[in-house]
Amino acid sequence: KLILLDSLLQECLQITINMPEQNGSLVANAKRRMTTEPGATEEIWKEMVYDKDITNDKVIDAYKVWAEAYDKDFAVVHPNRAEHMAVYLDELVKQYGMKKENLKILDVAAGTGLVGEELKKRGFRIQNITALDLCPDMLNVARKKKVYSKLIQSPFGSTMPKGMTARSYDCVIMCGGFAAGHVPLSSLHTMARLCKEGGFIINSMTKQYADFVEEYKQIDKYVEELEEEGTWQIMFRRILQNYTKGNQGLVHAMRINKKETKGPIAGESDAIILKGEDLVEQTKKRMSTENGPTTEIWKEMVYDKDISNDKVIGAYKVWAEAYDKDFAVVHPNRARHMADFLLEMVEGAGMKKEDLTILDVAAGTGLVGEELKKVGFNVDRVTALDMCPDMLEVADKKGVYGKLIQSPFGTTMPNGIKARSYDCVIMCGGFAAGHVPLAR
């Protein structure tokens, strides 16, 4: 589940904080502080900031309690925190000769409407501004300010919110949405899809979160990759001093391009040569001699929707040698349809299957590779990519791949792989709890 909230995690990481005692839930602490300790909601904020693994549910429950005091508390840490959003947007629309009073704007992670207030001050028409946030209590505060014509309560992430259509807004902006337990990095691509060609995307966040939260460490690379593939043109990347007390801000502004195909065309030869990463040192841990232990591992992974990626990788390391045998009991020939469907499509497009370069994502032990070989694809032109070295070791023994790459796969491209490098990219079974993210 994805959570869309206005981030309050913008405090000074340099100050010394006495963390609250863990004798109750965050929400319980919030209620207690707000009723008995005036102004102590800052302590809730600090508690959330220092937990990089905080859950979506915990964050939104805290915001429900915090909504009414949010503006007052945040003004202490950073007065006028949203002003730069309106200033930068105003600069961009003037630069390109747009009439700001006609622009439709979506404020993602709008929270209590701080950005909306600043947009109104700069002359943007509130009749054209929409606020989107998951927390109804935060939106209720925003509603009272009368700086939006429409308020939408919805999560925001890899897919567009229900009822929204692509290319609906002239500008899509977000201030403070990137924080632990909040909006995923892939939401930038969703923002781009909601924006009209020639429109602007602006994202502002505390720079320290690009170091603190694992997912956001790739934000610069992600923004650059989307420029390389033609989604947008980067207008600027700016570092703001004293974004909050002692912290820097990081702002990206982009302009949406007209959709055009860039790079090599599928089925045509190219000169790109990929260099796969070496496999890590092979793990010593192997299957036990107990009958059917891997079946228990499988059940544990399947029924735990909150399983971590580390736990999944650990299980696959143990399971690798017995994986094919165990899975054959559950689903014989599970990968055959992948080769059949791909063959059907390439023949329908008039391509020569033996000339195609193929990337098999989440290749595991090479079940898909075996099927591709059976229907006549050239194994020397098929690359396997997987995070688990033990699974790839099994795949390597089958001789169905020309190259093996041990790497994670998600929002950004793996090291050593370039855009538009393959004729076909396929994945079988990669979407499972703790495995490959939906991203973009």
Side-chain angles (χ1 to χ4, degrees):
K1 185 170 69 172
L2 302 175
I3 290 297
L4 178 60
L5 297 169
D6 184 31
S7 170
L8 300 181
L9 312 184
Q10 318 289 338
E11 52 35 277
C12 175
L13 298 177
Q14 299 175 354
I15 60 177
T16 302
I17 294 174
N18 295 319
M19 294 299 295
E21 296 180 5
Q22 299 299 318
N23 56 0
S25 71
L26 177 58
V27 175
N29 286 337
K31 291 178 179 177
R32 173 178 56 80
R33 291 164 186 156
M34 290 187 73
T35 55
T36 62
E37 302 175 30
T41 47
E42 291 180 59
E43 294 301 316
I44 309 169
W45 175 32
K46 294 169 185 175
E47 186 174 345
M48 289 198 297
V49 165
Y50 280 88
D51 183 2
K52 66 182 179 65
D53 299 315
I54 192 169
T55 65
N56 294 332
D57 290 341
K58 194 173 182 181
V59 167
I60 194 169
D61 286 343
Y63 280 141
K64 286 179 179 179
V65 177
W66 199 357
E68 291 293 336
Y70 175 90
D71 289 2
K72 173 176 62 74
D73 284 352
F74 212 94
V76 175
V77 182
H78 188 183
N80 304 317
R81 72 168 290 224
E83 183 179 13
H84 68 286
M85 296 294 289
V87 171
Y88 290 159
L89 185 58
D90 195 16
E91 290 178 359
L92 288 171
V93 300
K94 285 180 177 177
Q95 179 182 345
Y96 287 88
M98 298 177 179
K99 294 181 178 180
K100 60 185 176 184
E101 60 271 17
N102 296 334
L103 300 179
K104 289 182 62 179
I105 302 171
L106 176 63
D107 181 10
V108 178
T112 60
L114 294 177
V115 172
E117 291 181 279
E118 297 298 331
L119 291 173
K120 180 181 178 181
K121 292 177 185 177
R122 301 290 297 193
F124 292 93
R125 293 184 71 234
I126 62 174
Q127 291 83 354
N128 292 331
I129 306 175
T130 297
L132 188 149
D133 201 281
L134 184 57
C135 181
D137 301 80
M138 300 286 273
L139 283 177
N140 189 48
V141 175
R143 180 179 290 106
K144 297 174 184 178
K145 296 178 179 179
K146 298 181 179 180
V147 292
Y148 299 104
S149 63
K150 185 176 181 180
L151 297 98
I152 300 174
Q153 183 200 344
S154 171
F156 197 86
S158 301
T159 57
M160 285 186 286
K162 187 177 181 180
M164 287 190 164
T165 56
R167 305 292 182 256
S168 300
Y169 296 91
D170 298 290
C171 308
V172 182
I173 60 180
M174 181 167 68
C175 181
F178 285 157
H182 289 60
V183 180
L185 182 60
S186 59
S187 61
L188 279 177
H189 190 245
T190 304
M191 291 168 68
R193 291 160 59 202
L194 284 166
C195 192
K196 298 175 184 177
E197 294 179 359
F200 297 105
I201 304 292
I202 300 180
N203 177 70
S204 175
M205 66 181 293
T206 299
K207 186 177 181 295
Q208 279 77 356
Y209 285 116
D211 301 319
F212 179 64
V213 181
E214 189 66 31
E215 182 176 14
Y216 305 142
K217 291 180 180 179
Q218 300 294 327
I219 186 168
D220 284 324
K221 182 181 180 184
Y222 187 52
V223 169
E224 290 167 2
E225 284 183 2
L226 285 173
E227 181 179 52
E228 290 172 2
E229 72 173 32
T231 298
W232 56 39
Q233 177 187 359
I234 299 173
M235 295 287 95
F236 61 76
R237 175 189 185 274
R238 293 177 182 171
I239 302 298
L240 306 183
Q241 301 301 324
N242 295 316
Y243 187 76
T244 57
K245 292 181 179 178
N247 288 330
Q248 294 178 319
L250 174 61
V251 183
H252 290 91
M254 291 76 68
R255 192 180 191 200
I256 302 300
N257 290 332
K258 292 183 178 180
K259 204 63 180 175
E260 296 177 355
T261 300
K262 299 179 66 176
I265 305 300
E268 296 183 358
S269 62
D270 59 73
I272 296 177
I273 300 176
L274 301 181
K275 296 182 179 179
E277 297 177 356
D278 293 333
L279 297 180
V280 298
E281 183 180 355
Q282 302 303 317
T283 178
K284 304 294 184 180
K285 194 174 185 181
R286 279 300 176 203
M287 280 298 304
S288 67
T289 56
E290 300 175 17
N291 293 328
T294 51
T295 304
E296 295 304 315
I297 300 172
W298 177 45
K299 291 177 181 177
E300 184 177 350
M301 289 198 293
V302 167
Y303 288 95
D304 183 2
K305 66 181 179 65
D306 298 316
I307 191 169
S308 68
N309 184 254
D310 288 342
K311 191 171 183 180
V312 167
I313 296 300
Y316 278 136
K317 286 182 178 180
V318 177
W319 197 4
E321 290 292 340
Y323 179 88
D324 289 3
K325 175 184 60 138
D326 284 357
F327 214 97
V329 176
V330 182
H331 189 181
N333 304 315
R334 72 169 291 222
R336 179 181 296 172
H337 68 286
M338 296 294 290
D340 290 342
F341 290 158
L342 184 59
L343 181 62
E344 180 182 334
M345 287 191 291
V346 298
E347 288 183 343
M351 297 177 178
K352 293 182 179 180
K353 61 184 177 184
E354 59 272 17
D355 294 335
L356 299 179
T357 56
I358 302 172
L359 176 63
D360 181 9
V361 178
T365 60
L367 293 176
V368 171
E370 291 181 277
E371 298 298 333
L372 292 173
K373 181 180 179 180
K374 289 177 185 177
V375 298
F377 289 95
N378 185 346
V379 298
D380 292 331
R381 300 181 70 81
V382 183
T383 297
L385 186 148
D386 200 278
M387 180 66 175
C388 180
D390 299 79
M391 298 288 273
L392 283 177
E393 181 185 15
V394 175
D396 191 28
K397 295 174 183 177
K398 296 178 179 179
V400 294
Y401 296 107
K403 187 186 300 292
L404 296 99
I405 300 175
Q406 190 256 321
S407 172
F409 195 86
T411 308
T412 58
M413 285 186 285
N415 290 332
I417 291 184
K418 297 179 181 179
R420 307 289 185 256
S421 301
Y422 295 93
D423 299 298
C424 311
V425 181
I426 59 180
M427 181 169 72
C428 182
F431 285 155
H435 289 60
V436 180
L438 180 61
R440 61 171 170 87

